[in-house]
Amino acid sequence: MLIAKRVLLPAFIHGGFAKSVLPLSLNGKNCFARFLAMSPTLPSTPPPGKKTLKKMPSLKRARAADSTPPAKKSAKTTTTAGIPVDDLMKGTVHKQADGVKSYQGNDTADHFNIISWNVNGLRAVIKKFAVFDEMAKKEKPHVICLQEIKLDETEAIKIPTVIKGYQTVWNPCTVKKGYSGTALLIREDIFNKTTITTSILGGGFNDEGRIQVVEFEDKDFLLINTYVPNAGADLKRLEYRTKEWDVALRNYMKREVDNGKSVILTGDLNVAHLDVDIHNPKGNQKSAGFTPQERNSFSELLETGFSDTFRELHPTKTGFYTYFSYRSNGRAKNMGWRLDYFIVNDSLMDKVVASSILSAYEGSDHVPVQLLLKN
């Protein structure tokens, strides 16, 4: 993997200088000046054979799971960590070990805390809402993964630090203005222990700024922040999304796990996997994000050895969504889709303390999601 140098570009914030970082590939200790040439395309390995029924390995089985939960996954009122489900949905965590004082927020040495949010245009969120300061103060995440920032390179470097105390790592779309793009907000006390790259899929997958990978010196997992391509109007990009993008990402993730690395995939994955993940499944069978092809592709990822953390912890929960259409006033009516995920390799599920939907935060047509891991 090539690691390039980067340049720290000064930006004003709160009367002082802050640092904004614009890499395609970088090391947290060294900074870069220009974009890298694309990496070679990863070999397309055939998907491994199907596993036994831990997940939903096909759309047919997924639909069956909607109406009849798997026998081994009965409904839970608490997670395996003893955290009430209703509190998880509110972004409030109570630690219920013997005699341990309950607390709000997630600033604890016991947990690694990640938040992911499709902001649907970062400038508007920053301009109209103090939501990032509120989120940092209340949730205290180590890393915030952003998708659909809709900034080009020139615009990104002009934006001051989004949150004081966090380094911003930009990955804008380079082929279309005001489109796509991802960013990472990494707490300054761990930033120098990270390596970030974007060229993992090679070929032409990097142009739209859809993926960032973080490796941590002192963690046994890598974190993938991604904004998966939408199949689009008339499903024009359906084949590109399911037969090229999904396959390349799945192969990369499987290869990393085979090499001994745990993997966390987060972001707007642009698919509602099960009928319970969308408010109107019957009316959306041909809609982008709910086609059989997209849902089956997601099932194939899970069959490869990965878990949907929210659905693993809450197999029968309904009515919890992360995307709401402005046009239909979906948020007020709770008419939404669950498009935003934390996916982990199966063996990492043992470290998952909570997988939450932070519905209290506003500013986008998506709401943030959060993952807590045992350190």
Side-chain angles (χ1 to χ4, degrees):
M1 179 183 298
L2 296 175
I3 302 298
K5 295 182 178 180
R6 67 177 176 187
V7 174
L8 295 182
L9 301 165
F12 285 101
I13 181 170
H14 303 307
F17 279 98
K19 294 175 183 177
S20 234
V21 185
L22 176 62
L24 271 189
S25 276
L26 57 88
N27 187 289
K29 298 174 181 175
N30 303 296
C31 307
F32 90 101
R34 65 185 181 83
F35 291 112
L36 290 176
M38 301 303 179
S39 301
T41 305
L42 292 178
S44 295
T45 56
K50 292 189 176 182
K51 301 196 318 181
T52 53
L53 184 56
K54 180 183 177 185
K55 311 266 186 311
M56 285 57 88
S58 68
L59 181 56
K60 182 177 180 180
R61 190 173 293 160
R63 286 175 173 165
D66 289 335
S67 56
T68 307
K72 293 184 179 180
K73 292 187 177 181
S74 56
K76 300 177 183 178
T77 56
T78 62
T79 70
T80 54
I83 300 171
V85 168
D86 290 342
D87 285 344
L88 289 180
M89 307 310 164
K90 299 172 185 174
T92 301
V93 174
H94 298 278
K95 195 172 184 178
Q96 296 188 335
D98 293 342
V100 177
K101 184 178 179 181
S102 297
Y103 66 95
Q104 280 195 327
N106 306 307
D107 187 21
T108 168
D110 297 332
H111 299 150
F112 194 82
N113 183 342
I114 310 167
I115 288 176
S116 176
W117 193 12
N118 178 324
V119 291
N120 190 22
L122 184 59
R123 283 175 300 181
V125 177
I126 294 174
K127 184 176 180 180
K128 296 179 180 178
F129 302 89
V131 65
F132 286 112
D133 288 336
E134 177 188 354
M135 183 182 292
K137 183 177 180 181
K138 183 177 180 180
E139 310 297 340
K140 299 178 176 62
H142 294 88
V143 181
I144 301 177
C145 302
L146 303 179
Q147 305 90 42
E148 204 173 1
I149 60 173
K150 295 183 177 180
L151 300 173
D152 62 26
E153 176 184 347
T154 303
E155 294 168 325
I157 62 177
K158 291 180 180 178
I159 290 185
T161 298
V162 179
I163 305 175
K164 188 176 181 180
Y166 287 75
Q167 288 285 355
T168 306
V169 184
W170 302 108
N171 183 30
C173 175
T174 61
V175 294
K176 185 177 179 181
K177 189 177 177 67
Y179 179 71
S180 187
T182 51
L184 292 162
L185 310 180
I186 303 175
R187 228 164 62 177
E188 287 182 345
D189 61 325
I190 67 169
F191 181 70
N192 285 335
K193 299 178 181 179
T194 64
T195 300
I196 299 100
T197 186
T198 64
S199 56
I200 62 166
L201 301 185
F205 291 114
N206 305 314
D207 298 342
E208 295 180 1
R210 292 186 177 273
I211 199 161
Q212 296 171 295
V213 179
V214 190
E215 293 191 65
F216 303 88
E217 287 182 2
D218 56 352
K219 303 294 178 185
D220 62 355
F221 61 81
L222 57 84
L223 172 64
I224 305 173
N225 174 31
T226 188
Y227 177 39
V228 171
N230 192 300
D234 301 321
L235 304 179
K236 290 180 180 178
R237 300 192 86 187
L238 179 61
E239 289 212 356
Y240 168 74
R241 182 256 166 84
T242 58
K243 294 185 178 181
E244 297 184 45
W245 175 276
D246 286 358
V247 172
L249 180 57
R250 184 166 64 241
N251 288 341
Y252 169 77
M253 292 170 64
K254 181 62 166 60
R255 190 169 71 174
E256 289 296 319
V257 172
D258 289 345
N259 288 335
K261 198 81 172 178
S262 286
V263 173
I264 301 171
L265 173 69
T266 190
D268 178 359
L269 304 190
N270 259 318
V271 61
H273 184 215
L274 304 179
D275 286 358
V276 293
D277 295 324
I278 186 172
H279 78 280
N280 180 18
K282 290 184 179 179
N284 284 286
Q285 298 293 323
K286 297 181 180 181
S287 298
F290 199 64
T291 63
Q293 296 94 318
E294 292 162 297
R295 299 171 70 189
N296 276 325
S297 182
F298 190 91
S299 289
E300 286 185 46
L301 173 63
L302 300 186
E303 291 167 30
T304 308
F306 294 90
S307 297
D308 172 358
T309 58
F310 182 88
R311 195 52 70 195
E312 287 285 328
L313 295 177
H314 320 299
T316 61
K317 274 289 178 181
T318 62
F320 292 100
Y321 309 120
T322 64
Y323 163 78
F324 303 93
S325 170
Y326 285 140
R327 195 182 319 172
S328 61
N329 195 22
R331 186 162 182 163
K333 301 174 184 177
N334 198 34
M335 296 167 54
W337 303 46
R338 190 169 73 94
L339 301 178
D340 304 84
Y341 296 80
F342 279 99
I343 307 297
V344 302
N345 55 294
D346 290 341
S347 61
L348 192 59
M349 269 303 302
D350 291 340
K351 290 188 175 182
V352 175
V353 175
S355 185
S356 314
I357 297 172
L358 304 184
S359 56
Y361 295 101
E362 298 183 357
S364 170
D365 51 1
H366 290 249
V367 296
V369 293
Q370 182 183 51
L371 185 74
L372 297 184
L373 287 175
K374 297 175 188 176
N375 275 329

